[in-house]
Amino acid sequence: MIGVDLRALTQPVGIMRIMAAILTCMCFSLVATVGYVQSPYWAWCMFTWCFCFFFTLLILILEFTTVNAKLPFAWEDFTTGFAMLSTLMCLSVSIIYPTFFTCKTCYRQIGASVVSWVCFGVYAGEVVLTRLRPSGQNIGFLSTLPGIMKMLETFLACLIFMSLETGQYSSFPGLQWCVAAYSLCFIFALLIILLTTAQLTSFVPFFDKVVIVYNILAAVMYTTAMVIWPLYSFRNNKRPITCASLCPWDKLVVVTFMTIFNVIVYTLDTVYSIRLVFFVSNE
């Protein structure tokens, strides 16, 4: 039976969620009044603020009505993971939006940028509060180091997809392989997160070892992309003199660096998973 829990709104985490919902609403409202900009970075910023606002409000409603207790997955794990993801997303847009879309006289854009940074701080504060658990209390997958790395891998892949343009890779098989590697790794990382959060891993035989195999393959695929992408993208392709702040050439650089970062994350994820399964579990 559905009830009402006022503590969901009055406890520190609930207050921070209310603040985050208000701040994200302010961000996309301010930017929307400025007008549409045809840019994937602008679309990413608007998506981030709308996404965070919608799910933060949904979490508040579900906890206030106690419906969250009836959901078939680990609720605290989900909310902690969402707070971490929102922190990363707000950090990215707080850097991207003022870099590309503000000027000295763009007061609404400046206001949105400032509010976005405040929103990042609120979500970071929520992460700190949700991870301060009593000693010995169990935490879910998204609150562990492997879960955090999985979220970081998918987040970096989103930044890569945002920076890709079809004309950059459609004529080059090597670059098409890179895009295929990004896509496959993103899909399987997201699938692992969903299966673990929904507590369905028991239906997959040897799930831990399957994850290790995936991590190794993903690390190898990203390593090949780390070599192939800059090799084909920048060969005989210097930065144009007329290149503006949203130049397609700069997006090639963004993809290159995000690929390098994901190689590091996947490598660390692989090493940690092997240690966790084959060494720590046998002690």
Side-chain angles (χ1 to χ4, degrees):
M1 188 173 179
I2 297 176
V4 173
D5 185 8
L6 290 175
R7 291 180 303 171
L9 304 180
T10 57
Q11 62 182 346
V13 174
I15 294 172
M16 298 192 81
R17 287 172 181 161
I18 294 172
M19 290 175 58
I22 295 172
L23 291 170
T24 49
C25 182
M26 289 175 60
C27 285
F28 70 73
S29 298
L30 283 169
V31 174
T33 59
V34 176
Y36 172 75
V37 178
Q38 189 172 1
S39 164
Y41 294 115
W42 186 90
W44 169 255
C45 294
M46 287 295 284
F47 168 78
T48 295
W49 292 320
C50 293
F51 172 84
C52 293
F53 168 77
F54 174 79
F55 278 97
T56 301
L57 186 61
L58 181 64
I59 288 170
L60 285 169
I61 293 172
L62 292 178
E63 289 196 346
F64 178 70
T65 58
T66 67
V67 174
N68 63 300
K70 299 175 175 57
L71 297 177
F73 56 84
W75 177 254
E76 290 188 359
D77 189 29
F78 166 74
T79 54
T80 302
F82 169 75
M84 293 178 182
L85 180 61
S86 298
T87 302
L88 289 173
M89 294 175 72
C90 285
L91 175 61
S92 69
V93 300
S94 298
I95 296 172
I96 290 172
Y97 190 78
T99 300
F100 294 131
F101 305 107
T102 61
C103 61
K104 293 181 179 179
T105 57
C106 303
Y107 301 114
R108 281 177 289 183
Q109 291 93 322
I110 293 172
S113 302
V114 172
V115 174
S116 184
W117 276 109
V118 176
C119 194
F120 159 71
V122 171
Y123 277 118
E126 182 184 343
V127 171
V128 172
L129 287 178
T130 53
R131 285 187 62 83
L132 290 177
R133 302 172 186 272
S135 178
Q137 184 173 339
N138 292 329
I139 57 177
F141 172 71
L142 296 179
S143 301
T144 62
L145 186 57
I148 293 171
M149 286 192 284
K150 277 286 169 284
M151 286 193 296
L152 186 57
E153 290 158 6
T154 55
F155 172 73
L156 292 173
C158 288
L159 295 181
I160 290 174
F161 295 142
M162 179 181 64
S163 302
L164 289 174
E165 293 187 4
T166 306
Q168 295 173 337
Y169 60 84
S170 59
S171 303
F172 302 98
L175 297 183
Q176 290 174 3
W177 157 254
C178 295
V179 176
Y182 301 145
S183 303
L184 288 172
C185 293
F186 173 77
I187 292 171
F188 281 101
L190 193 60
L191 183 62
I192 290 170
I193 291 174
L194 293 175
L195 287 174
T196 310
T197 305
Q199 300 178 337
L200 298 176
T201 56
S202 58
F203 296 99
V204 182
F206 310 108
F207 181 77
D208 292 339
K209 294 179 176 61
V210 171
V211 171
I212 290 176
V213 172
Y214 158 74
N215 286 338
I216 294 172
L217 291 175
V220 171
M221 292 172 70
Y222 259 93
T223 301
T224 61
M226 181 180 67
V227 176
I228 294 173
W229 182 267
L231 182 65
Y232 280 87
S233 297
F234 301 113
R235 186 172 57 184
N236 300 323
N237 182 23
K238 295 183 179 181
R239 192 176 193 273
I241 300 175
T242 57
C243 191
S245 59
L246 293 176
C247 178
W249 193 92
D250 291 338
K251 296 178 182 178
L252 298 175
V253 178
V254 173
V255 174
T256 301
F257 277 98
M258 292 304 106
T259 302
I260 294 172
F261 292 152
N262 238 355
V263 168
I264 296 172
V265 177
Y266 271 111
T267 302
L268 293 175
D269 195 4
T270 302
V271 173
Y272 188 82
S273 298
I274 292 173
R275 176 181 176 275
L276 201 63
V277 173
F278 292 105
F279 296 96
V280 176
S281 60
N282 294 329
E283 292 179 357

